Amino acid sequence: MEKIVIVGAGVAGINAATKLVDNNYQGKITIIDMGKDPYNRKPEEVMTGFLGAGGWSDGKLTYHTSIGGQLSKYCGEEKAMDLMNQVITNFKRFHPNPEEVQCSDPQEEPDFIKPYFGLRLFPVYHVGTDYLSEIAKNWYNFLVENGVEFVWENKVTNIDFKENYLSHTEVNGNGDWTQKYDLLIFGVGKSGIDFGKKLAEKYDLKTEPKAVQIGVRFEAPQKHFQKLIDISYDFKLYRKFEDKGVSLRSFCTNNNAAYVAAEHTYGDYSYNGHAKKDEAYRNDMTNFGILMEIQGIDKPFDWSREAVKKLQVNGKGMFFSPSHRVPSKTSEGDYVKVEVVPSMDILYYALGDYAFYIEDFIEDMKEVFPTLGEDWGIYIPEVKYLSPEPLVNYDNLSLTKYDNVHFVGDALSARGITVSGAQAIYVVESLL
Ligand SMILES: Cc1cc2nc3c(=O)[nH]c(=O)nc-3n(C[C@H](O)[C@H](O)[C@H](O)COP(=O)(O)OP(=O)(O)OC[C@H]3O[C@@H](n4cnc5c(N)ncnc54)[C@H](O)[C@@H]3O)c2cc1C
């Protein structure tokens, strides 16, 4: 039987291993991750460890092919929906109280948001950050009991695609190791984006271009948005300016016990959000990204990095509120790390005229949600670094140059939990 090594114990890696175990795969399965197992992983370790960035996320499981990255491009609509359903089923399966997973499923666009915005209509299952750690422990125990080997706190530093082996280093600096593999599943997520890029350059992998995705994380008291939240928990307001190659959408909405989280990528700060289920954490706040997708920018990855760099002050991102709201606290009780700035001008400095679209989005929200007024703040920036997507065979997501190396999750083209997990299950189905 072939030895499968999975790099990254994130959403994709864990769903891949689960599919292998469920199908009684007899070969050795090893997962290497630079983070920790779910018993030892701390809340501030946002990006690494069991379930990866999904482990301390908000656990919103979207069930539609129009968001969360590209899936139907590889396998078609019907198969994509089946694969995403398998991921959702896995989250419920290891949930201590699966009946508490709520589903929001808006059926039509409410009149009051028109003509300013459209609303994307699709189901979203909401798990909540606090339950995720319980799910992670149950899931981890299942995989260990079924013979999956985990190598924690080890960073993979090199992969030899030609000789089929990889090198990894203990993060505490105690040792360097190598592993041979027959099949490799590469699921390093956002935290491994630099590594993926390095490999793509080293092996001269062909890539598909990506659009820029950048914006801000908007935060306000929930009461202003309640009318829409009642219709759709994770509401996706959107608008398009096709002639300009720009579209905007609200992204990853958190409510009830909603917290803003700082992300660190390439040493820079950007922002995201999550929500807890436990009533003890209720703060009656709402936060969501206002993300702008810009087509046609030359070298979009470099452009995004440059823009994010311009949006750092004193080694942090920024916060602006027209009514002098103060930045919120994290769910751990510390203030979110930001520098308060007096205006939105800095956005124009970093994004040029594109900043106008974000300001305009906020202005129109004030029309649609009349009580909002100036009662809000924005954390700057929020960014989705979409590294150039390596060219893969669409039937099994293997590299066109190395057919025993499969790219999955955010390291490929995903931007969310269900799509990341679904891509990994798709790969395993092709192997089986
Ligand atoms: C705060 C936050 C909230 C989010 N909320 C949601 C949400 O509600 N819904 C949603 O759909 N998506 C959400 N997301 C996005 C979602 O978590 C990711 O899309 C998803 O986790 C990607 O899965 P993945 O397996 O590709 O990568 P990840 O889950 O990021 O896992 C990658 C793993 O690879 C490991 N790794 C990286 N490089 C190396 C290396 N060199 N060696 C060894 N290990 C390595 C990391 O330690 C990590 O554990 C959120 C993200 C964040 C940060």
Side-chain angles (χ1 to χ4, degrees):
M1 270 304 214
E2 293 182 308
K3 176 175 177 179
I4 299 185
V5 174
I6 301 174
V7 185
V11 172
I14 293 308
N15 275 281
T18 307
K19 187 73 184 176
L20 287 163
V21 166
D22 284 346
N23 283 277
N24 205 17
Y25 185 75
Q26 293 298 307
K28 179 140 199 223
I29 307 165
T30 301
I31 307 185
I32 306 172
D33 197 286
M34 60 186 180
K36 298 187 186 130
D37 69 67
Y39 291 95
N40 289 304
R41 182 178 171 179
K42 298 194 179 75
E44 61 270 26
E45 291 159 5
V46 176
M47 308 292 282
T48 60
F50 193 89
L51 281 180
W56 288 117
S57 76
D58 186 39
K60 279 190 291 292
L61 309 179
T62 53
Y63 188 44
H64 199 274
T65 53
S66 70
I67 56 155
Q70 305 181 43
L71 181 58
S72 46
K73 169 174 113 176
Y74 305 117
C75 62
E77 279 290 313
E78 200 176 322
K79 183 66 194 165
M81 294 303 279
D82 163 53
L83 292 164
M84 285 193 285
N85 192 34
Q86 292 191 47
V87 178
I88 293 165
T89 305
N90 276 339
F91 274 87
K92 288 187 184 162
R93 169 180 169 191
F94 297 106
H95 196 301
N97 304 94
E99 65 285 355
E100 289 195 21
V101 177
Q102 291 158 356
C103 182
S104 160
D105 189 8
Q107 296 299 315
E108 60 181 302
E109 292 183 335
D111 283 338
F112 71 88
I113 65 166
K114 301 172 190 167
Y116 296 100
F117 298 102
L119 181 70
R120 286 257 160 83
L121 303 170
F122 57 86
V124 181
Y125 295 85
H126 184 220
V127 177
T129 313
D130 23 19
Y131 270 134
L132 276 168
S133 66
E134 295 307 307
I135 291 172
K137 286 174 194 152
N138 293 339
W139 206 334
Y140 178 54
N141 294 344
F142 168 81
L143 292 174
V144 171
E145 279 157 21
N146 282 281
V148 175
E149 178 192 46
F150 283 88
V151 182
W152 293 115
E153 297 186 73
N154 268 257
K155 184 169 184 172
V156 176
T157 50
N158 189 32
I159 306 179
D160 191 324
F161 291 149
K162 292 180 183 153
E163 299 298 327
N164 298 341
Y165 76 87
L166 53 78
S167 316
H168 53 100
T169 305
E170 289 183 32
V171 291
N172 60 15
N174 276 349
D176 296 321
W177 312 93
T178 54
Q179 296 254 354
K180 287 288 281 178
Y181 64 82
D182 298 308
L183 283 161
L184 185 80
I185 298 181
F186 188 78
V188 296
K190 242 179 166 180
S191 50
I193 216 165
D194 254 351
F195 183 43
K197 199 160 175 272
K198 202 172 96 189
L199 289 171
E201 281 161 11
K202 178 173 171 189
Y203 289 98
D204 195 20
L205 303 178
K206 288 207 173 81
T207 55
E208 297 193 31
K210 286 295 184 63
V212 166
Q213 302 236 357
I214 198 161
V216 298
R217 179 128 303 240
F218 186 91
E219 183 185 56
Q222 178 170 334
K223 58 185 179 195
H224 303 307
F225 292 93
Q226 194 60 49
K227 204 169 156 187
L228 187 55
I229 293 166
D230 289 343
I231 297 166
S232 173
Y233 174 90
D234 179 18
F235 55 79
K236 295 262 187 284
L237 297 169
Y238 73 92
R239 52 179 28 179
K240 263 189 174 160
F241 302 89
E242 263 166 43
D243 54 327
K244 309 277 190 233
V246 174
S247 61
L248 291 97
R249 65 190 194 284
S250 60
F251 171 83
C252 179
T253 304
N254 301 294
N255 306 307
N256 304 325
Y259 294 89
V260 172
E263 290 181 338
H264 315 106
T265 321
Y266 306 122
D268 291 329
Y269 271 75
S270 57
Y271 299 92
N272 205 320
H274 66 115
K276 296 235 174 188
K277 282 270 177 174
D278 190 334
E279 274 297 306
Y281 286 94
R282 179 177 275 277
N283 57 4
D284 293 316
M285 296 295 283
T286 287
N287 69 60
F288 51 86
I290 300 177
L291 266 193
M292 175 166 57
E293 182 169 293
I294 314 172
Q295 304 284 346
I297 288 203
D298 187 34
K299 299 199 177 145
F301 184 75
D302 297 342
W303 191 93
S304 305
R305 280 194 67 174
E306 199 48 41
V308 170
K309 264 200 208 115
K310 287 181 182 165
L311 293 169
Q312 310 287 308
V313 182
N314 297 332
K316 289 177 241 160
M318 285 168 244
F319 177 82
F320 165 68
S321 168
S323 56
H324 307 291
R325 291 185 63 88
V326 288
S328 296
K329 288 189 174 172
T330 66
S331 52
E332 281 66 57
D334 307 318
Y335 282 104
V336 178
K337 290 198 169 52
V338 278
E339 281 286 312
V340 175
V341 289
S343 77
M344 282 174 72
D345 290 355
I346 187 84
L347 265 183
Y348 284 86
Y349 163 65
L351 307 179
D353 290 346
Y354 290 117
F356 168 77
Y357 294 102
I358 294 175
E359 205 170 358
D360 188 49
F361 194 100
I362 296 172
E363 284 306 310
D364 284 348
M365 283 201 305
K366 285 159 55 178
E367 299 292 330
V368 170
F369 306 100
T371 58
L372 179 62
E374 308 293 343
D375 194 14
W376 51 270
I378 48 174
Y379 298 81
I380 309 169
E382 174 148 348
V383 64
K384 304 296 151 209
Y385 280 119
L386 303 177
S387 60
E389 178 186 335
L391 205 58
V392 292
N393 296 304
Y394 281 14
D395 54 351
N396 64 3
L397 310 188
S398 63
L399 293 177
T400 49
K401 275 175 95 171
Y402 303 99
D403 63 5
N404 62 341
V405 178
H406 304 261
F407 270 53
V408 289
D410 282 8
L412 184 60
S413 63
R415 293 194 296 277
I417 294 172
T418 35
V419 173
S420 294
Q423 286 182 353
I425 293 173
Y426 183 57
V427 167
V428 172
E429 286 187 355
S430 78
L431 301 178
L432 294 167

